[in-house]
Each structure stands twice: as structure tokens, then as C-alpha cells.
Amino acid sequence: MSHENLQRREAAERSVLINTTSYDISLDVRQAADPAVAGYASRSVINFTASEPGTSTFLDFIGSDVHSVFLNGKGLPVVEVVDGARIRLDNLQAENQVTVTGTALYSRSGEGMHRFVDPADGQCYLYTQYEPADARRVFANFEQPDLKATYTFHVMAPAHWQVASNGAEVNRTLLASDPATARWDFATTLPMSTYITTILAGPYFKAEDRWEATLDDGTRLDVPLGLYCRASMGDSFDTEALFGLTKAGLDFFNRLFDFPYPWGKYDQAFVPEYNLGAMENPGLVTFTESYVFTSRATDAQYQGRANTLMHEMAHMWFGDLVTMQWWDDLWLKESFADYMGTLGVDQATDWDTAWVNFANKRKAWAYVQDQLPTTHPIVADIPDLEAAKQNFDGITYAKGASVLKQLVAYVGFDAFIAGSREYFRNHAYGNTTLADLLEALQAASGRDLSGWAHQWLKTSGISTLSLHAGTGGPDGGQLAGVSIVQEAVDPVTGREELRPHRLRIGSYDFDGDGALVRTGSIETDVAGARTEVPGLDGQPRPALILVNDDDLTYAKVRLDRGSLATVRTSLDRIVDPMARALCWTALWNSARDAQTPAALYVDAVAAFAPAETGIGVLLNVLDNAATAVEHYIPPADRASVRASFLTTAAAELDRAVPGSDQQLAWARTLAGLSRHDAAMLPRLRGLLDGSAPVAGLAVDADLRWQLWHALAAHGQATAAELDAELARDTTASGRAGHATALASRPDPGVKSAAWNAAVHGNELSNQLLTATINGFTTAPAELLAPYIDPYFDCLRTVWDGRSIEIATRIVRGLYPVAQDLAEGSVPDEHPVIRRTDDWLAANPDAPRALRRIIIEQRSHLLRALTAQAAAVPPPVP
């Protein structure tokens, strides 16, 4: 549909002209359970003002039909004023009311009003998801974040359903003409942006509680709490734990921010086929239902859920109460929520590894994103909505949160919180830019942050820090001339961008029991290309010197030669979990950057992962090792490295404590690696049929589908067997597992059918599309080679013909990234790299968001090929 991609310039012009005051929205979803009914009635009544009477503006609406448009009581000719996704409004008055009726469409992509039929019981469920701009798929509106208004929702739905929205339910009435239908009326909200309004409807299971507290100033809060999930998942819904986390978070953030929770109730809904981890709709937060653990989950998964819960709760202030003016400043909510989510888990729960997991996993996401040619400053240039959709990435979230952690180290935690409180007080229910935040933080800290903001928020790329030291003293065992060298080039501009870093340098040595413990620590400021560290001169050289100890700054760290030797022999003897995680990260970055052979990283994981007590770190390094094996190891060495690591995984599965998280982690690794190696398939079959059990290992639904995936990838699972497994697991996740396993079978006909379903068909929902793509790409390169040219040939058609969510999944998921470097060739000349370059050269006018995905996938492939090349010794002359 034309005009879907709103430009920043257009939004700015519209916000100068108009100001929205209120919406009254009516939706009729009473026929949602009928699959033959594609849409539902939608009615918007919008009150707004215009600064220049007599001028024109436009509304946004993406539906099947617009039935009527009335502006200030006058009917407008629909055929003339509707143009694609826009409705033109001419001859505005100073005060205006527009009423639009139309038919909106149910979605299977997770955008707008998503409709899901539960395979377990056939029940129909609805929920909405809008960010950045899909509220217009549900009701006509002015779709941009700085046009805030109040909202009153009315919903007609089957009377036995649960229906919820941002505001509390104030009335429910059975229709006299149709007693099977009820009308729900919800309380008018406080001012908010369109993208955080929401509707939930269906036969959801609901649990209720409430949170009560008296704040330090005597303010009394009484907040009703609700939890929702599909009825078929009710038995797995650990509501007591979730309510406990919710109450702990509300208590923590209300006291920390010194601004009472403003949105009335606090509901949380766990919904199917969700595109995100969660969404911060005020009063009704939505989460992916994968957080309702129907199979055995590790402690890291529970902690990850807690982090997401705290992240979304922080958004009630950062993002909902105070909202960015346009998507350029998306970081103003996401970076803060990412930081605050980890802080909340660390301060308000019993978990003590929140910052360790942040350093090891969350920041790893940022490091990957920041080394892509498409990286961008934290404060990004977002010219349109398609660009906004692509910027929900590792820079906006994890790098931004990491930089905020560095800011806290720079100005102090108390000043940071004081500035945040002032920011809320000054801009409640309004919209802001970077300048507004800096003003509050500068006032609280007494520091001029303009230089800091430019260096950290307005440049791209990642600094690399390395320690250089000579030796001195009578026996040559003392440090001398210690300095930290910083390398940093903005990959976008090509300019050197040396940033200030407040960090710690830790010294570690072996104690009497052979453990590697911290023996000293100094805090210093790093600036420029080289920073002298005189505080270490004359000190005995420790076994390990760790730059960025405690993970205060955002930078890659290269270990010095002596420290690297210590880590490669004694990583498992490092006592401190954060120090150990940082050493794991240093090893991984070295492998990804082709500084050291990837096989050395796999060796380190095989040697030291069995002793890793942090389950979050263990899961991450096992995933990294699998990536190294399949992408970074040269093809000539891959089979032997994989076979060795598979042997390790099998042995550790047997050795792990029965029923432990570590046991489950090794079982998952065994299944994942076995997709590419048949040696362990008899053992996987034994786990499935119970003939070769492992004491304590719960082979439940999630693990069973991972085992079936591996068997199917080798042609050792028939369609009948997979159908039988689906019959015993009629859940949504089971259906996805079934789709992946079916598409994994190494048969040309199977691959062709999967390709056609994903690229040319429209029957797959967002979840099943991804599942099918995952199965299709589980195959040797020769089986997928026939699809390389069709992939590039279909890109423009897919992008133009699908929603941005679905198109993104297809374009990213089907890129032929699993390639090997032929002996004697160079990475830049690989056929897929050259084919990609040809497409980019031939399509300079392709949408920016589409080109970005292609450029990023090319970069991932080039990095893998470069790592493969670096591991091959040069020929002997």
C-alpha cells in the first residue's frame, strides 16, 4: 500500500500544524473466531487542534476499506480523500473532530491485530502490537510518537472472553440483540503515543493480585495486577513467581525514580507468535509466551525473563511517561530500559549475576552490531519508519545501556538518578530529545556532558583497548612503562574516534590453593591513543592483568601475551564470575576478529566450560563454540573439530549433575551439533525413545523437537514420525518444532516446498515462517546452492509485497550465509560475496532498510570467510 513509509520530514511538518487531544476508539471483533472473516469494524473519533486554520493534513490507516470520513460534521468523499495508507483532511479549523469508520484486517505477521488459533484446543486469541507504527492497522490515527493524546477504547467481543486495554475496565454490557456478545468500555487513559496503545481479547487465563505501598513522601499506591496467558498454558503459568517479581520491581522503581507509577493498573499478558521479547504498553504490557515455560528451563532463562519484566517496567517512566520526539532518539527509552532492567534484577531480586550476564551476552550483541558496516551512532539518523524498524538493534539497546553504565561511572550513580528524576518531573507526558536529557543530567552532576555525548552518542564503532607493559626490577619481574593503547575508527565516517573511558585495571594471581584471585585494582581515566598508568609501574607482574575489570566501559579488550597464556591454561581457575566472563569475551572477540584461530576458542570451551558455574555464561560460550565450528573453522578441519567437541558434549552430558542446568545445556549442545554430524544420532534416538536415558535429564517437548531436528537433518526421521510427535505435542511451540524438522529433511523436493511456502506463499504465520526457514537452511551447501540466484532475484518482490516484519524475516533468514572458502581463494572473491556486490550495485534505489539487511548479511559471511582464511597457514615458498 502506498504512503506506508512515513518520512521524518512529514511527521515534523504535521506536528507543527496539529496537536491531538483525544481519541475514542470502537472495535468489533465478535466474529474473530470465524477464519472466513478477514477483518473487523473499526471506528475512530479524534479531537485535534490546528495552528493554521484552512490548511490540510492527513490521517494514517492501513485496512481493507474506509467506509466513511466525517470532518467537523461534514462527510468527505472517501474515493477522493483516501490515498493508500493516508486519509487527507482539508480546510482544517482551529478545533477539529474527525470520525473515520472502516474495516481493519486481522494479522498473521504479529503487526497490528494478530489473530491466533490455538492448535491445542481450537480457541481464538487476539492481541495488538504496534511499534513503531502499526496502530494504523487497527484504527485511523496520527501515527507518530510526538502527537500524544488520551484514549478511550470500546470493544465488542464474545461475552465469555477476557478483554483488556491500557485503561481499567469501567463497564461491561451484554448486547440485548446478541446476548453472546458483550461491549467492554475502558477508562480514558492519560496522554500517550499511538504505538503504546493496546487491546487484548480472547479466552485467556487470568490471575489477579495487587501491589500496595507507601512511598517515602507518604504517597499511598494501590495498583491492581493482572496476568494473562492462553488457557491451554494455564497449568504451566507460574503466576506466584511473576507477581513476586512484579511487586519487587514496582517497589524498586517507584522509590528509585521518585515519581509514582502513573498508569493505574499493571497487567502483563503472555501472547503467542510474538515478534518481540515484550512491549511496554502502559497498563497492559505484552510478552512473548515463550516466557511461560512449558518445558524444563534453566535458571538463566528465568533470569532473562526477570530482566525483560524489569526492562518493560522501567519503560513506564522511560518511554511511556516521557517519550522521544521521533525515532532518532529511540535510545532515550531503549538504552535506559536495558540498563534499568539489569539494575532492577541486580538490586530487587535474589539473582547476583545480572551484570555478569549483561557483560557476557547483552554486550556481545552490541559488539557484533557495532562492527557491521551499517552500524550507527546511538543517537541515530532515522529518516523514515522503515529505518526505525531496523534500528531496534544491538546499538540502540545494548550499546546504549553499556554507555549509560559508563556514564554512571563517570558522573556517579546518585547524580545519574537525580538527573533522571528531574527529567521525569520536567517532561511528564511529553516528548523529548537528547538535549532535554543532557540538561537534566548536567544540572544534577555539575558536569558539562556535551563533549561526552558527542564522543559516545554521536559517533559509531567500538574502541579496542590493549595493555602494553615492559619489565623492570632486579629480577625483571616488575611492571614498567605500563600504558593502555586505544584504537577506534568510526566505520561510517572512517575517522579516528578516541573516546574517554573510566575503567578499572585488575591484577590477578594464584593463591595457595591454585585459584586465580584479584590481588589489586586501580581505577583510571583512559583518553587518547595512549594512556600511561603509572600506578602499576614497579608492581610485581601478576599472572593476569584485566583491562576493564568489573566491566565499567564499552570496549573490546585484547589480553597481553602473558595474560592470554594464563587464560588459555587457567580460565577455569578464575574465581570472580565477572572476571571469568570478561576473559571468555576476550577469547571470543579474538576468534571473531581472526586474531587467533577459531579452533583455539573451541578448545578453550571444551577444556573450561565443564567447570563454568554460571549457567548464563555456559549457554553463551557453548553457542559461540557451535558458531565457531560451523562458520569460522576452515572446511578441511571442521569435521575433526566438530567430532572432538561432540565427544566432549556427550561426555559432559553423562558427567553433569543429574537434573542440573548444566546437564540440560550439554544436551542441547549435543542436539545442535548433531544436525551436521551423524555420529551421535543413535544416542539421540535413544533419548527420544527412552532406550538410552540419562539420569535426571527431562526429555520434554522442547528438547524432543531439538533431537528430532537433528535426526531429520540427516534423513533419519520420517514425516510419519514427526506427525506422530506433533500429535503428542499440540502446542504452538510444537507446531513450530514440527515445521522446522519437516523442512530440515535433506531432500530436494522438501527444500523446494519449504522455499515456495516461505517466498511465494502467504499461508505461514510469522512464527511458522521462521520455523520453516530454520529448517530449510539446515542443509549442506550443495543442497541449497540452487537457491542462491533465486534469492537475489526475489528480493525486490518480497520487500514490496510483504509487510516489513515478514519481508525482514525472509530476506535475513534466507541469505546464503553458510558458505566455505575454497582452498587457495580469498574471502572477497567468494561467489556469494560477489553475487551480493552485484545485487547492491544493480539496486542503488532499493529501500534503505532492505539494502541494510543485505549489507549486514554480507558482512557476517565475509567475517566467517576471513576467519577461515586466517586459520589456514600460508603456503611454504
Side-chain angles (χ1 to χ4, degrees), residues 659-677:
S660 66
D661 287 350
Q662 283 72 14
Q663 183 188 55
L664 181 57
W666 287 108
R668 291 173 177 174
T669 299
L670 186 69
L673 287 170
S674 294
R675 296 171 197 164
H676 311 281
D677 189 306

Side-chain angles (χ1 to χ4, degrees), residues 563-831:
S563 297
L564 181 58
T566 297
V567 168
R568 290 211 181 277
T569 59
S570 307
L571 193 156
D572 58 335
R573 295 161 71 183
I574 301 173
V575 174
D576 182 72
M578 176 66 85
R580 201 166 59 245
L582 294 175
C583 289
W584 278 119
T585 297
L587 293 182
W588 179 234
N589 283 332
S590 180
R592 286 194 76 251
D593 295 345
Q595 298 290 309
T596 55
L600 291 180
Y601 182 83
V602 179
D603 289 344
V605 175
F608 304 127
E612 179 57 61
T613 57
I615 185 59
V617 173
L618 176 62
L619 290 168
N620 200 42
V621 300
L622 290 176
D623 284 346
N624 290 344
T627 298
V629 168
E630 302 306 334
H631 296 282
Y632 298 160
I633 301 290
D637 301 332
R638 183 173 300 136
S640 61
V641 173
R642 185 196 294 125
S644 177
F645 195 56
L646 261 172
T647 300
T648 298
E652 292 307 318
L653 172 59
D654 292 330
R655 189 177 295 122
V657 174
S660 66
D661 287 350
Q662 283 72 14
Q663 183 188 55
L664 181 57
W666 287 108
R668 291 173 177 174
T669 299
L670 186 69
L673 287 170
S674 294
R675 296 171 197 164
H676 311 281
D677 189 306
M680 295 292 173
L681 294 186
R683 180 161 195 192
L684 303 193
R685 176 70 73 168
L687 289 173
L688 277 169
D689 63 22
S691 63
V694 175
L697 180 66
V699 186
D700 51 19
D702 284 357
L703 182 55
R704 291 184 66 83
W705 283 117
Q706 292 177 56
L707 299 172
W708 280 118
H709 186 180
L711 289 166
H714 294 279
Q716 295 194 23
T718 66
E721 286 180 308
L722 298 176
D723 290 346
E725 185 68 28
L726 180 62
R728 61 180 283 174
D729 179 17
T730 58
T731 64
S733 59
R735 189 169 58 173
H738 179 256
T740 296
L742 279 177
S744 297
R745 292 172 295 159
D747 177 88
V750 168
K751 297 303 179 184
S752 177
W755 172 271
N756 288 326
V759 176
H760 303 300
N762 290 297
E763 296 303 312
L764 297 177
S765 68
N766 51 351
Q767 183 184 39
L768 293 180
L769 172 64
T770 295
T772 300
I773 289 173
N774 288 343
F776 172 84
T777 55
T778 305
E782 58 269 20
L783 196 55
L784 299 181
Y787 297 94
I788 293 175
D789 283 337
Y791 169 81
F792 288 100
D793 293 341
C794 79
L795 288 174
R796 296 295 291 264
T797 301
V798 165
W799 195 265
D800 292 341
R802 303 294 188 93
S803 73
I804 190 169
E805 176 66 34
I806 295 299
T808 296
R809 291 181 185 230
I810 294 171
V811 173
R812 181 173 288 123
L814 290 176
Y815 182 88
V817 73
Q819 302 294 322
D820 286 332
L821 191 66
E823 186 175 352
S825 63
V826 296
D828 283 341
E829 296 178 1
H830 189 279

Side-chain angles (χ1 to χ4, degrees), residues 366-378 395 399 403 455-464 486-495 497-499 501 554-556:
Y367 293 155
V368 169
Q369 190 81 45
D370 217 5
Q371 294 175 86
L372 294 173
T374 57
T375 189
H376 56 85
I378 294 172
I395 303 300
K399 180 180 180 179
V403 168
Q455 291 174 298
W456 278 109
L457 302 178
K458 296 185 177 181
T459 63
S460 302
I462 183 172
S463 299
T464 300
Q486 177 180 189
E487 299 173 87
V489 174
D490 188 325
V492 176
T493 66
R495 293 194 299 265
E497 292 288 355
L498 302 176
R499 302 174 181 89
H501 301 265
Y554 173 80
K556 287 194 296 184

